[in-house]
Amino acid sequence: MPSMPKDKADTPVDLDAVVEDLAALRRDLAALLGQMKDGAVRGANAAAEDAIGRLGEQADRLYDDVAASGGRAARLIGRQVEERPVAALLIAFGLGFALSKLLSR
């Protein structure tokens, strides 16, 4: 007697294989999510380091600009004091007096 092909409805479902496949799928999905999380953290860290580097460079430029401006202002004030010492002395006295009155309150 020739064997007849089994119909899909007649094939037994291997429940253990389905459970194992679902467990493997769950492990693979957990690993994938872990890798995505690690990649996102690494990307965020790299972006933060880049931003900190840019801020540091801008702070250095700003410091250099302020230092240069302060040096120019000091030279200008020194020149004014040399040219008009009495006026500079009176201005310094007036500012000191005004500040002492403000701070004594």
Side-chain angles (χ1 to χ4, degrees), residues 19 59 88 105:
V19 170
R105 291 182 183 196

Side-chain angles (χ1 to χ4, degrees), residues 2 8-9 12 14 18 29 36 54-55 64 74 78 84 88-90 97 99-101 103:
K8 279 190 172 185
D14 188 4
V18 172
L29 184 59
M36 289 174 62
R54 284 194 312 264
L55 286 174
D64 292 341
R84 298 185 181 107
L89 184 62
L90 290 174
F97 183 75
L99 285 174
S100 70
K101 289 294 183 184
L103 294 176

Side-chain angles (χ1 to χ4, degrees), residues 31-46:
L32 179 62
L33 289 175
Q35 290 173 354
M36 289 174 62
K37 178 183 171 189
D38 291 343
V41 168
R42 281 193 299 271
N45 285 341

Side-chain angles (χ1 to χ4, degrees), residues 2 10 14-15 18 26 42 45-46 65 69 71 74 88 93 95-96 98 103:
D10 293 340
D14 188 4
L15 191 56
V18 172
R26 184 176 182 193
R42 281 193 299 271
N45 285 341
D65 292 345
S69 296
F93 177 75
L95 286 174
L103 294 176

Side-chain angles (χ1 to χ4, degrees), residues 18-104:
V18 172
V19 170
E20 289 176 20
D21 288 344
L22 287 174
L25 181 61
R26 184 176 182 193
R27 286 190 302 270
D28 291 345
L29 184 59
L32 179 62
L33 289 175
Q35 290 173 354
M36 289 174 62
K37 178 183 171 189
D38 291 343
V41 168
R42 281 193 299 271
N45 285 341
E49 289 174 3
D50 185 44
I52 289 170
R54 284 194 312 264
L55 286 174
E57 291 170 3
Q58 289 176 349
D60 288 342
R61 283 194 301 272
L62 181 61
Y63 175 79
D64 292 341
D65 292 345
V66 169
S69 296
R72 285 191 300 271
R75 286 191 299 277
L76 179 64
I77 290 171
R79 196 173 314 127
Q80 291 293 325
V81 169
E82 287 175 4
E83 291 175 3
R84 298 185 181 107
V86 175
L89 184 62
L90 290 174
I91 291 171
F93 177 75
L95 286 174
F97 183 75
L99 285 174
S100 70
K101 289 294 183 184
L102 288 173
L103 294 176
S104 66

